[in-house]
Amino acid sequence: DLHSFPTRRSSDLNLSVFLFAISFLASISTMETEGKVHNAVEKKKSKSFIMPVLLRWADGIGFVISRVKYKKFRDFMSKIQVDLNALGGDYARYNAYQYLALSLFSMSGGVLFCALFISLDIFILLFAAVLFFFFPLIKIKEAVKTRREAIIKQLPDMSDLLSIMMDAGADFFSAADKVTDILKGPLSDDFSAALAKISLGYDKKTALSEMAQKNGVEQLGFFIRTVNMALDAGVGMSDTLKRLAEQMRTERASEAEKKAQEAPIKMLIPMVLFIFPTIFIVIFGPIVINFITTGGF
């Protein structure tokens, strides 16, 4: 019956909406329950219940992504894994493939937000997809860079304090334990983790070498190699640590001077692209307009 067709279609649509709403509310309830359990286990005060479920989904999607055998892709994922390990903390709890899955979730959320509230233009959606996909990856790179800069900045101070405490009669590891209580930062956190391994019976030189390798900071690697050689030789390290601190401060000053000398060259590009065109418009704009309107100067 043609007259009953619109009514039947409307009832089917209402039924579909009703079933979708029931399913959505059930999934929200499941997410909230899992989130409360996750926060209780992790002893977190956060009331967020979305992130635990996203991490669980990232597990499955990350497993599927890990089956890709393309060499360049696997090299790219290896670099992400190195950055995650260097950051440690919450970042080290999931692998690169899970983090890439979170980037895909970020991209999907960004595209959906753009489609609902900004525009359905295909180019804008593509731009949003690229932006939100790379945002978590850029965040990692910036976090690693900030952490390495903090380690380089803290290393001379730690060397000086270690030298002073060793002059007072403490051995290297006792001094390091006290210094980690005085100085706060990523370097102290890594030293504390290495000392915890050593207290559990881990080889001293291996624990320090793994700490340096994980961070990927050249100055820290040189510092640890010097300490390990002194431990092998059984000689005092106080004077060596003082010279290391002076050398690292000198290198940092030289690096700052180098960056200061490079600043004018780096400023040239934005000046040519943004400042000079504005100046030309202000100077020659009235002349061009006058020439067009009057036919001469």
Side-chain angles (χ1 to χ4, degrees):
D1 189 359
L2 294 177
H3 295 287
S4 64
F5 178 73
T7 306
R8 187 181 306 156
R9 187 172 63 177
S10 177
S11 64
D12 290 343
L13 180 61
N14 291 335
L15 179 62
S16 300
V17 171
F18 176 75
L19 292 175
F20 174 77
I22 293 293
S23 174
F24 179 75
L25 291 175
S27 65
I28 287 292
S29 177
T30 303
M31 290 169 67
E32 187 171 6
T33 302
E34 292 183 1
K36 288 179 179 177
V37 171
H38 177 273
N39 292 330
V41 171
E42 298 294 327
K43 297 180 181 180
K44 291 183 178 180
K45 296 182 179 180
S46 172
K47 296 182 180 179
S48 172
F49 57 85
I50 296 177
M51 196 61 188
V53 179
L54 288 180
L55 290 176
R56 190 190 67 179
W57 291 347
D59 248 348
I61 296 175
F63 176 76
V64 175
I65 297 174
S66 66
R67 308 300 290 270
V68 178
K69 303 297 183 182
Y70 186 54
K71 185 179 183 302
K72 289 187 178 180
F73 175 74
R74 296 185 76 85
D75 291 341
F76 174 69
M77 299 308 295
S78 298
K79 292 178 181 178
I80 295 177
Q81 188 64 56
V82 169
D83 290 339
L84 291 173
N85 293 337
L87 289 173
D90 290 337
Y91 287 99
R93 295 175 55 189
Y94 40 82
N95 58 45
Y97 297 101
Q98 292 170 324
Y99 198 82
L100 186 64
L102 292 177
S103 295
L104 293 174
F105 294 156
S106 172
M107 179 185 71
S108 303
V111 170
L112 181 62
F113 177 84
C114 185
L116 292 176
F117 299 105
I118 299 179
S119 173
L120 287 173
D121 186 83
I122 186 65
F123 294 105
I124 295 178
L125 293 178
L126 286 174
F127 176 77
V130 173
L131 178 65
F132 281 90
F133 176 78
F134 283 103
F135 178 74
L137 304 178
I138 294 172
K139 181 182 177 183
I140 277 191
K141 292 295 182 183
E142 289 298 320
V144 169
K145 181 181 178 181
T146 302
R147 194 176 194 279
R148 286 174 177 168
E149 289 175 351
I151 289 174
I152 293 171
K153 184 178 180 181
Q154 193 180 22
L155 195 52
D157 297 333
M158 178 168 280
S159 296
D160 281 336
L161 286 173
L162 287 171
S163 175
I164 292 170
M165 290 186 180
M166 292 179 74
D167 281 338
D171 67 282
F172 176 79
F173 294 99
S174 300
D177 190 31
K178 291 181 175 62
V179 169
T180 54
D181 293 333
I182 298 172
L183 292 177
K184 299 300 179 184
L187 182 59
S188 296
D189 295 340
D190 289 342
F191 257 101
S192 297
L195 292 174
K197 287 182 179 180
I198 293 170
S199 66
L200 294 174
Y202 210 76
D203 182 67
K204 295 178 180 179
K205 294 195 299 180
T206 304
L208 294 176
S209 299
E210 287 181 354
M211 179 190 71
Q213 185 178 4
K214 184 194 80 166
N215 284 287
V217 178
E218 183 180 352
Q219 291 88 336
L220 179 59
F222 180 71
F223 173 82
I224 295 299
R225 286 194 298 272
T226 304
V227 170
N228 284 339
M229 284 190 292
L231 290 173
D232 283 336
V235 297
M237 286 185 281
S238 178
D239 293 337
T240 303
L241 292 175
K242 286 179 182 177
R243 287 194 293 271
L244 275 176
E246 293 175 1
Q247 180 181 346
M248 286 185 286
R249 287 194 173 95
T250 302
E251 289 177 355
R252 195 168 67 187
S254 300
E255 187 68 23
E257 291 178 0
K258 181 181 177 182
K259 289 182 179 179
Q261 292 172 358
E262 292 175 352
I265 299 174
K266 293 180 179 179
M267 290 175 60
L268 186 62
I269 296 175
M271 287 179 64
V272 170
L273 292 178
F274 302 109
I275 298 177
F276 287 168
T278 306
I279 295 175
F280 292 152
I281 291 173
V282 171
I283 294 175
F284 296 107
I287 299 175
V288 173
I289 293 173
N290 184 50
F291 180 80
I292 293 173
T293 53
T294 61
F297 294 96

